[in-house]
Amino acid sequence: MQINELNTQLMNLAINQAKFDKTGEFDKILQNLKEIKDESNSLDSAISNAAKEANSDAKLFATFDFMQAMNQLLYGNLDDNDRSKLLTKMEKIAKSV
């Protein structure tokens, strides 16, 4: 069960119990659960943004590697075996991007 689902269930229980509780304890619990849910949402958002940025950086580095391989093909003194390896590497990079 995910944290958000569990938190929602706990909030529902606290809401139901708060209706019958005169001490206000469940109101405090409910407030704490709302804060936890807000923090969880901001953490999920931060993780999502970091993942997007990492994917973007990976594509940037792959493009750099491809361009470096292009330079080696154009200006390097490669034998047929090295040229074949380089072309295979470039094909893998092109497919990943």
Side-chain angles (χ1 to χ4, degrees):
M1 183 176 294
Q2 291 184 345
I3 293 174
N4 287 337
E5 292 174 13
L6 182 59
N7 195 12
T8 301
Q9 288 180 356
L10 288 171
M11 286 177 69
N12 289 337
L13 283 171
I15 289 169
N16 288 337
Q17 290 300 317
K19 293 176 186 174
F20 304 107
D21 181 42
K22 304 298 181 198
T23 63
E25 284 298 314
F26 283 98
D27 290 332
K28 292 177 188 175
I29 292 171
L30 186 59
Q31 183 62 34
N32 288 340
L33 289 171
K34 286 180 183 177
E35 290 173 8
I36 290 170
K37 185 175 182 178
D38 291 342
E39 289 173 9
S40 174
N41 288 340
S42 66
L43 181 61
D44 289 343
S45 176
I47 290 171
S48 175
N49 289 341
K52 288 178 187 175
E53 190 171 323
N55 288 336
S56 176
D57 288 349
K59 287 182 181 179
L60 180 68
F61 285 117
T63 302
F64 176 77
D65 285 344
F66 188 87
M67 295 306 294
Q68 188 176 24
M70 284 289 291
N71 282 335
Q72 286 178 345
L73 277 178
L74 292 172
Y75 304 112
N77 189 10
L78 303 172
D79 62 12
D80 288 339
N81 189 24
D82 289 338
R83 185 179 306 272
S84 176
K85 288 179 183 177
L86 197 55
L87 287 171
T88 302
K89 177 182 176 181
M90 291 173 67
E91 183 179 358
K92 288 179 184 177
I93 293 171
K95 286 180 181 178
S96 72
V97 177

